[in-house]
Amino acid sequence: MKKSLVLAAALMCVASLFVSCSKPAGKKAGGAIKIGIINNPPSESGYRAANVKDFETVFTAAKGYDVKTFYSLKNDEQLNAASQFITDGVDYLLLSAAATDGWEATLKKAQKAGVKVFLFDRMINVNDALYEAAVVSDMAKEGETAVNWLKAQNLSEYNVIHIQGAMGSDAQLGRTGALDQQFASGAMKKVVQQTATWDEAEAKKIVESVINSGEDFNVVYAENDGMAKGAVAALDEAGITHGVDGKVVIMGFDCNKWALRELKNGNWNYDGQCSPFQASVIENMIKSGKVPSKKIISDEKGFDAKTITSSDIDTYGLGD
């Protein structure tokens, strides 16, 4: 009996040593750090293409990472992929959610499994104890900055075509909020408010429908650059002027280089910055094991066609 107790105690010690060595801070002993990345597809927008590229550049096999990625605009598909990554035993789950709701159960599963979660680009509606940190844009501030710029134009009237992004996403909610306040107060008129789910062609159809209806408008507020581009295509086909000294004010978000060039050429009026560069910030927290803040907000600004410079385009523009 005594020998059995000694053997059992020895086996427990060995098991304890194995568990303590299986997931140390920083790089895993004897293997790569397993990363699961959930994001929207790069085809969504120029912003998203830059965001995806940023993570691909930072989290590489050469730097000791074993990376699995999943891309979808559908929240339920993202949830299924995240759950599978957790089952597969990733060490870290990096998440840009398609929608703000529905994530609590999955993040609780991650926490129970010892998987550390970092949010990027977008917030979600969960208790912040369920993730390590969020490296995000302040989407509500982006909307407020854009609407404050629009109010400062002192137009005699504001008849707005509002083209929204994917409904329920943090970006859509934030960029919609400040404009909704203007509609509710009567300071601006909502000609139409409709989602194009970040899609250029759908945005074009929305504007074509308004043009065909004969209803008057003088502002297009599109929640990303691609949708603003689609709106402008509809205006051009109808012979309606836009941009600086044009009939219709054009507003976009994300600051793709091609969009900022449209500003500088006077074809658009405003573009709101949304920084896609969050990967290195997250990597620093993973490597150091230190989280300086639960919420790390990217510093962003808005650009006016009348003041933007070539240097601004080179410094802040995304893509080519």
Side-chain angles (χ1 to χ4, degrees), residues 257 260-261 264 307-317:
K257 280 187 177 178
L260 294 182
R261 292 187 191 107
K264 193 166 187 302
T307 56
I308 192 170
T309 66
S310 295
S311 177
D312 289 331
I313 297 173
D314 292 339
T315 302
Y316 300 103

Side-chain angles (χ1 to χ4, degrees), residues 23-43:
K23 266 193 177 182
K27 187 170 181 177
K28 285 187 69 179
I33 300 173
K34 295 181 180 179
I35 305 283
I37 301 176
I38 306 287
N39 203 347
N40 288 2
S43 58

Side-chain angles (χ1 to χ4, degrees), residues 94-137:
L94 314 185
L95 171 64
S96 178
T100 56
D101 293 324
W103 284 94
E104 186 168 352
T106 300
L107 266 59
K108 283 182 177 178
K109 179 180 178 181
Q111 190 174 67
K112 186 176 180 180
V115 177
K116 295 185 176 182
V117 177
F118 286 91
L119 308 183
F120 65 92
D121 176 46
R122 299 171 172 182
M123 295 300 297
I124 53 177
N125 292 329
V126 297
N127 189 304
D128 65 10
L130 293 175
Y131 57 86
E132 301 298 304
V135 184
V136 294
S137 295

Side-chain angles (χ1 to χ4, degrees), residues 80-98:
N80 290 336
S83 183
Q84 186 60 55
F85 284 169
I86 295 164
T87 300
D88 291 344
V90 297
D91 301 301
Y92 297 91
L93 181 65
L94 314 185
L95 171 64
S96 178

Side-chain angles (χ1 to χ4, degrees), residues 40-281:
N40 288 2
S43 58
E44 175 216 78
S45 63
Y47 166 88
R48 192 61 56 182
N51 185 241
V52 167
K53 183 178 179 181
D54 184 46
F55 278 84
E56 289 176 344
T57 301
V58 170
F59 293 102
T60 64
K63 294 170 70 175
Y65 298 107
D66 177 8
V67 181
K68 296 181 178 181
T69 57
F70 180 81
Y71 304 116
S72 178
L73 285 168
K74 296 180 179 179
N75 211 48
D76 58 344
E77 292 181 355
Q78 287 192 340
L79 284 163
N80 290 336
S83 183
Q84 186 60 55
F85 284 169
I86 295 164
T87 300
D88 291 344
V90 297
D91 301 301
Y92 297 91
L93 181 65
L94 314 185
L95 171 64
S96 178
T100 56
D101 293 324
W103 284 94
E104 186 168 352
T106 300
L107 266 59
K108 283 182 177 178
K109 179 180 178 181
Q111 190 174 67
K112 186 176 180 180
V115 177
K116 295 185 176 182
V117 177
F118 286 91
L119 308 183
F120 65 92
D121 176 46
R122 299 171 172 182
M123 295 300 297
I124 53 177
N125 292 329
V126 297
N127 189 304
D128 65 10
L130 293 175
Y131 57 86
E132 301 298 304
V135 184
V136 294
S137 295
D138 187 335
M139 300 297 185
K141 185 178 179 182
E142 287 182 9
E144 290 166 6
T145 300
V147 169
N148 286 339
W149 175 88
L150 183 56
K151 288 164 62 179
Q153 304 314 299
N154 295 316
L155 304 181
S156 59
E157 58 182 0
Y158 289 86
N159 300 315
V160 183
I161 294 177
H162 179 196
I163 308 174
Q164 297 169 292
M167 300 302 289
S169 67
D170 192 39
Q172 177 271 312
L173 294 170
R175 294 170 188 174
T176 290
L179 192 56
D180 268 351
Q181 291 176 14
Q182 297 301 308
F183 293 150
S185 70
M188 298 182 185
K189 178 184 175 183
K190 177 170 55 180
V191 175
V192 68
Q193 184 180 61
Q194 188 174 334
T195 180
T197 320
W198 312 121
D199 186 72
E200 178 182 331
E202 287 301 312
K204 184 172 184 283
K205 290 177 185 177
I206 291 170
V207 176
E208 285 173 340
S209 179
V210 177
I211 293 170
N212 292 335
S213 75
E215 189 164 3
D216 192 38
F217 63 92
N218 65 335
V219 177
V220 171
Y221 181 106
E223 292 183 355
N224 82 345
D225 289 341
M227 296 189 300
K229 184 178 182 180
V232 167
L235 297 178
D236 286 341
E237 288 180 9
I240 299 172
T241 61
H242 50 82
V244 178
D245 298 326
K247 181 193 173 188
V248 180
V249 172
I250 304 297
M251 302 176 68
F253 289 87
D254 289 348
C255 289
N256 290 282
K257 280 187 177 178
W258 61 263
L260 294 182
R261 292 187 191 107
E262 291 296 310
L263 250 69
K264 193 166 187 302
N265 291 334
N267 298 321
W268 292 18
N269 302 81
Y270 175 91
D271 206 25
Q273 186 187 15
C274 188
S275 174
F277 305 115
Q278 300 117 13
S280 62
V281 179

